[in-house]
Short mmCIF file of all heavy atoms in Angstrom, two decimals:
data_model
loop_
_atom_site.label_atom_id
_atom_site.label_comp_id
_atom_site.label_asym_id
_atom_site.label_seq_id
_atom_site.Cartn_x
_atom_site.Cartn_y
_atom_site.Cartn_z
N GLU A 4 0.84 -1.21 0.00
CA GLU A 4 0.00 0.00 0.00
C GLU A 4 0.87 1.25 0.00
O GLU A 4 0.58 2.23 -0.69
CB GLU A 4 -0.92 0.02 1.23
CG GLU A 4 -2.22 -0.70 1.04
CD GLU A 4 -3.16 -0.47 2.21
OE1 GLU A 4 -3.64 0.68 2.39
OE2 GLU A 4 -3.42 -1.45 2.94
N TYR A 5 1.94 1.20 0.79
CA TYR A 5 2.85 2.34 0.88
C TYR A 5 3.46 2.65 -0.49
O TYR A 5 3.49 3.80 -0.92
CB TYR A 5 3.95 2.04 1.91
CG TYR A 5 4.96 3.14 2.05
CD1 TYR A 5 4.73 4.21 2.92
CD2 TYR A 5 6.15 3.13 1.33
CE1 TYR A 5 5.66 5.23 3.06
CE2 TYR A 5 7.08 4.15 1.46
CZ TYR A 5 6.83 5.19 2.32
OH TYR A 5 7.75 6.21 2.45
N THR A 6 3.96 1.63 -1.16
CA THR A 6 4.61 1.85 -2.45
C THR A 6 3.61 2.28 -3.52
O THR A 6 3.98 2.98 -4.46
CB THR A 6 5.40 0.61 -2.92
OG1 THR A 6 4.53 -0.52 -2.97
CG2 THR A 6 6.57 0.32 -1.99
N GLU A 7 2.36 1.86 -3.38
CA GLU A 7 1.33 2.31 -4.33
C GLU A 7 0.96 3.77 -4.08
O GLU A 7 0.72 4.53 -5.01
CB GLU A 7 0.08 1.42 -4.24
CG GLU A 7 0.29 0.03 -4.81
CD GLU A 7 -0.87 -0.91 -4.53
OE1 GLU A 7 -1.87 -0.50 -3.89
OE2 GLU A 7 -0.77 -2.08 -4.95
N LEU A 8 0.92 4.15 -2.80
CA LEU A 8 0.56 5.51 -2.43
C LEU A 8 1.69 6.49 -2.73
O LEU A 8 1.45 7.64 -3.10
CB LEU A 8 0.20 5.58 -0.94
CG LEU A 8 -0.31 6.89 -0.40
CD1 LEU A 8 -1.66 7.24 -1.05
CD2 LEU A 8 -0.48 6.81 1.11
N ALA A 9 2.92 6.01 -2.57
CA ALA A 9 4.08 6.88 -2.77
C ALA A 9 5.11 6.20 -3.67
O ALA A 9 6.19 5.83 -3.22
CB ALA A 9 4.70 7.21 -1.41
N PRO A 10 4.76 6.01 -4.95
CA PRO A 10 5.72 5.35 -5.84
C PRO A 10 6.99 6.19 -5.97
O PRO A 10 6.93 7.41 -6.07
CB PRO A 10 4.97 5.26 -7.17
CG PRO A 10 3.89 6.28 -7.09
CD PRO A 10 3.57 6.47 -5.65
N GLY A 11 8.11 5.51 -5.92
CA GLY A 11 9.39 6.20 -6.03
C GLY A 11 9.88 6.82 -4.74
O GLY A 11 10.96 7.40 -4.72
N ASP A 12 9.12 6.73 -3.67
CA ASP A 12 9.55 7.29 -2.40
C ASP A 12 10.73 6.49 -1.86
O ASP A 12 10.71 5.26 -1.86
CB ASP A 12 8.40 7.26 -1.39
CG ASP A 12 8.75 7.99 -0.12
OD1 ASP A 12 9.34 7.36 0.79
OD2 ASP A 12 8.44 9.19 -0.03
N ARG A 13 11.74 7.18 -1.40
CA ARG A 13 12.95 6.51 -0.92
C ARG A 13 12.72 5.72 0.36
O ARG A 13 13.51 4.83 0.69
CB ARG A 13 14.06 7.52 -0.75
CG ARG A 13 14.48 8.08 -2.10
CD ARG A 13 15.65 9.03 -1.98
NE ARG A 13 15.98 9.52 -3.30
CZ ARG A 13 15.91 10.79 -3.66
NH1 ARG A 13 15.54 11.69 -2.80
NH2 ARG A 13 16.21 11.15 -4.88
N GLY A 14 11.68 6.05 1.09
CA GLY A 14 11.36 5.31 2.30
C GLY A 14 11.06 3.84 2.03
O GLY A 14 11.19 3.00 2.92
N ALA A 15 10.68 3.52 0.81
CA ALA A 15 10.40 2.13 0.46
C ALA A 15 11.64 1.26 0.62
O ALA A 15 11.54 0.08 0.99
CB ALA A 15 9.87 2.05 -0.98
N TYR A 16 12.81 1.83 0.37
CA TYR A 16 14.06 1.07 0.52
C TYR A 16 14.28 0.68 1.99
O TYR A 16 14.60 -0.47 2.29
CB TYR A 16 15.27 1.88 0.05
CG TYR A 16 15.32 2.09 -1.44
CD1 TYR A 16 14.92 3.29 -2.01
CD2 TYR A 16 15.81 1.09 -2.29
CE1 TYR A 16 14.99 3.49 -3.38
CE2 TYR A 16 15.89 1.29 -3.66
CZ TYR A 16 15.47 2.49 -4.20
OH TYR A 16 15.54 2.69 -5.55
N THR A 17 14.11 1.65 2.86
CA THR A 17 14.36 1.36 4.27
C THR A 17 13.31 0.43 4.84
O THR A 17 13.62 -0.43 5.66
CB THR A 17 14.44 2.67 5.10
OG1 THR A 17 13.24 3.41 4.93
CG2 THR A 17 15.64 3.50 4.68
N LEU A 18 12.08 0.57 4.37
CA LEU A 18 11.04 -0.36 4.81
C LEU A 18 11.34 -1.78 4.35
O LEU A 18 11.20 -2.73 5.12
CB LEU A 18 9.66 0.05 4.27
CG LEU A 18 8.90 1.08 5.06
CD1 LEU A 18 7.56 1.37 4.39
CD2 LEU A 18 8.68 0.64 6.48
N ARG A 19 11.73 -1.92 3.10
CA ARG A 19 12.06 -3.25 2.57
C ARG A 19 13.20 -3.85 3.40
O ARG A 19 13.19 -5.00 3.76
CB ARG A 19 12.43 -3.15 1.08
CG ARG A 19 12.98 -4.42 0.45
CD ARG A 19 12.12 -5.66 0.55
NE ARG A 19 10.79 -5.50 0.06
CZ ARG A 19 9.76 -6.23 0.49
NH1 ARG A 19 9.92 -7.18 1.38
NH2 ARG A 19 8.56 -6.04 0.01
N TYR A 20 14.20 -3.01 3.70
CA TYR A 20 15.32 -3.49 4.51
C TYR A 20 14.84 -3.95 5.89
O TYR A 20 15.25 -5.01 6.38
CB TYR A 20 16.40 -2.41 4.67
CG TYR A 20 17.39 -2.79 5.75
CD1 TYR A 20 18.33 -3.80 5.51
CD2 TYR A 20 17.34 -2.21 7.00
CE1 TYR A 20 19.21 -4.19 6.50
CE2 TYR A 20 18.22 -2.61 8.00
CZ TYR A 20 19.14 -3.60 7.74
OH TYR A 20 19.99 -4.00 8.73
N GLU A 21 13.99 -3.16 6.53
CA GLU A 21 13.51 -3.52 7.87
C GLU A 21 12.75 -4.85 7.84
O GLU A 21 12.86 -5.66 8.77
CB GLU A 21 12.67 -2.40 8.46
CG GLU A 21 13.54 -1.21 8.83
CD GLU A 21 12.81 -0.15 9.61
OE1 GLU A 21 12.00 -0.50 10.47
OE2 GLU A 21 13.09 1.04 9.36
N ILE A 22 11.99 -5.07 6.79
CA ILE A 22 11.27 -6.35 6.66
C ILE A 22 12.28 -7.48 6.49
O ILE A 22 12.20 -8.51 7.17
CB ILE A 22 10.27 -6.31 5.48
CG1 ILE A 22 9.12 -5.34 5.77
CG2 ILE A 22 9.73 -7.71 5.19
CD1 ILE A 22 8.24 -5.04 4.57
N LEU A 23 13.25 -7.28 5.60
CA LEU A 23 14.27 -8.32 5.36
C LEU A 23 15.07 -8.61 6.63
O LEU A 23 15.35 -9.77 6.95
CB LEU A 23 15.21 -7.90 4.24
CG LEU A 23 14.63 -7.86 2.83
CD1 LEU A 23 15.63 -7.24 1.86
CD2 LEU A 23 14.21 -9.25 2.38
N ALA A 24 15.44 -7.57 7.35
CA ALA A 24 16.22 -7.75 8.58
C ALA A 24 15.41 -8.51 9.63
O ALA A 24 15.93 -9.41 10.29
CB ALA A 24 16.67 -6.40 9.12
N ALA A 25 14.14 -8.17 9.76
CA ALA A 25 13.28 -8.86 10.74
C ALA A 25 13.08 -10.32 10.35
O ALA A 25 12.96 -11.20 11.22
CB ALA A 25 11.93 -8.15 10.85
N GLN A 26 13.05 -10.60 9.05
CA GLN A 26 12.91 -11.98 8.57
C GLN A 26 14.22 -12.75 8.63
O GLN A 26 14.25 -13.93 8.33
CB GLN A 26 12.41 -11.98 7.12
CG GLN A 26 11.00 -11.53 6.95
CD GLN A 26 10.61 -11.41 5.47
OE1 GLN A 26 11.42 -11.05 4.62
NE2 GLN A 26 9.36 -11.71 5.19
N LYS A 27 15.29 -12.04 8.98
CA LYS A 27 16.63 -12.63 8.98
C LYS A 27 16.99 -13.18 7.60
O LYS A 27 17.49 -14.28 7.45
CB LYS A 27 16.77 -13.68 10.07
CG LYS A 27 16.58 -13.11 11.47
CD LYS A 27 16.95 -14.09 12.54
CE LYS A 27 16.70 -13.66 13.95
NZ LYS A 27 16.58 -12.33 14.33
N ALA A 28 16.67 -12.37 6.59
CA ALA A 28 16.97 -12.72 5.20
C ALA A 28 18.49 -12.76 5.02
O ALA A 28 19.23 -12.20 5.83
CB ALA A 28 16.35 -11.68 4.26
N PRO A 29 18.96 -13.41 3.96
CA PRO A 29 20.40 -13.46 3.72
C PRO A 29 21.02 -12.05 3.69
O PRO A 29 20.40 -11.10 3.20
CB PRO A 29 20.52 -14.12 2.34
CG PRO A 29 19.25 -14.91 2.20
CD PRO A 29 18.20 -14.14 2.94
N LEU A 30 22.23 -11.94 4.22
CA LEU A 30 22.92 -10.65 4.27
C LEU A 30 23.02 -10.03 2.88
O LEU A 30 22.90 -8.81 2.73
CB LEU A 30 24.32 -10.81 4.87
CG LEU A 30 24.39 -11.07 6.36
CD1 LEU A 30 25.83 -11.28 6.80
CD2 LEU A 30 23.77 -9.94 7.15
N LYS A 31 23.23 -10.85 1.88
CA LYS A 31 23.35 -10.38 0.50
C LYS A 31 22.12 -9.55 0.11
O LYS A 31 22.24 -8.47 -0.47
CB LYS A 31 23.51 -11.58 -0.43
CG LYS A 31 23.59 -11.27 -1.90
CD LYS A 31 23.71 -12.58 -2.68
CE LYS A 31 22.97 -12.64 -3.95
NZ LYS A 31 21.60 -12.37 -4.11
N ASP A 32 20.93 -10.04 0.44
CA ASP A 32 19.69 -9.33 0.10
C ASP A 32 19.57 -8.02 0.88
O ASP A 32 19.15 -6.99 0.32
CB ASP A 32 18.48 -10.21 0.39
CG ASP A 32 18.45 -11.47 -0.47
OD1 ASP A 32 19.15 -11.51 -1.50
OD2 ASP A 32 17.72 -12.42 -0.10
N GLN A 33 19.93 -8.06 2.16
CA GLN A 33 19.86 -6.86 2.98
C GLN A 33 20.84 -5.81 2.47
O GLN A 33 20.51 -4.61 2.39
CB GLN A 33 20.16 -7.20 4.44
CG GLN A 33 19.13 -8.10 5.09
CD GLN A 33 19.49 -8.45 6.51
OE1 GLN A 33 19.81 -7.58 7.30
NE2 GLN A 33 19.44 -9.73 6.85
N ILE A 34 22.04 -6.26 2.10
CA ILE A 34 23.07 -5.35 1.59
C ILE A 34 22.61 -4.72 0.28
O ILE A 34 22.73 -3.50 0.09
CB ILE A 34 24.41 -6.09 1.41
CG1 ILE A 34 25.03 -6.38 2.79
CG2 ILE A 34 25.37 -5.31 0.53
CD1 ILE A 34 26.22 -7.33 2.77
N GLU A 35 22.05 -5.51 -0.61
CA GLU A 35 21.61 -4.99 -1.91
C GLU A 35 20.61 -3.87 -1.77
O GLU A 35 20.70 -2.85 -2.47
CB GLU A 35 21.02 -6.12 -2.76
CG GLU A 35 22.04 -7.04 -3.37
CD GLU A 35 21.41 -8.21 -4.12
OE1 GLU A 35 20.16 -8.27 -4.26
OE2 GLU A 35 22.18 -9.08 -4.57
N ILE A 36 19.65 -4.03 -0.88
CA ILE A 36 18.62 -3.00 -0.75
C ILE A 36 19.19 -1.71 -0.16
O ILE A 36 18.85 -0.61 -0.61
CB ILE A 36 17.37 -3.50 0.03
CG1 ILE A 36 16.17 -2.57 -0.17
CG2 ILE A 36 17.65 -3.67 1.50
CD1 ILE A 36 15.56 -2.63 -1.51
N LEU A 37 20.09 -1.84 0.81
CA LEU A 37 20.69 -0.63 1.38
C LEU A 37 21.66 0.03 0.41
O LEU A 37 21.75 1.26 0.37
CB LEU A 37 21.38 -0.94 2.72
CG LEU A 37 20.45 -1.13 3.91
CD1 LEU A 37 21.26 -1.34 5.19
CD2 LEU A 37 19.48 0.02 4.07
N GLU A 38 22.36 -0.77 -0.38
CA GLU A 38 23.24 -0.18 -1.40
C GLU A 38 22.42 0.64 -2.40
O GLU A 38 22.82 1.75 -2.77
CB GLU A 38 24.02 -1.27 -2.13
CG GLU A 38 25.15 -1.86 -1.34
CD GLU A 38 25.84 -3.03 -2.06
OE1 GLU A 38 25.20 -3.68 -2.92
OE2 GLU A 38 27.01 -3.28 -1.74
N ALA A 39 21.30 0.09 -2.80
CA ALA A 39 20.43 0.81 -3.75
C ALA A 39 19.94 2.12 -3.13
O ALA A 39 19.89 3.16 -3.81
CB ALA A 39 19.25 -0.07 -4.15
N TYR A 40 19.60 2.09 -1.86
CA TYR A 40 19.12 3.29 -1.18
C TYR A 40 20.23 4.34 -1.08
O TYR A 40 20.02 5.51 -1.40
CB TYR A 40 18.60 2.94 0.21
CG TYR A 40 18.21 4.15 1.02
CD1 TYR A 40 17.13 4.95 0.64
CD2 TYR A 40 18.92 4.51 2.16
CE1 TYR A 40 16.77 6.06 1.38
CE2 TYR A 40 18.57 5.62 2.90
CZ TYR A 40 17.50 6.39 2.51
OH TYR A 40 17.15 7.51 3.22
#
């Protein structure tokens, strides 16, 4: 909903990271999203 309401908003990167971190996703995935941000 957030990304639909605010497409292109940079906050989407940090939100995606927070979800990945909470899920304990692979470091590679977490690093990629923060690098993009």
Side-chain angles (χ1 to χ4, degrees):
E4 273 188 68
Y5 179 86
T6 56
E7 288 171 1
L8 185 64
D12 187 273
R13 293 184 181 118
Y16 290 101
T17 57
L18 275 180
R19 172 56 55 206
Y20 168 73
E21 289 189 39
I22 292 169
L23 290 172
Q26 290 174 325
K27 298 190 184 339
L30 288 177
K31 177 182 142 306
D32 297 342
Q33 294 178 50
I34 288 169
E35 284 176 5
I36 195 72
L37 284 184
E38 285 176 335
Y40 175 66

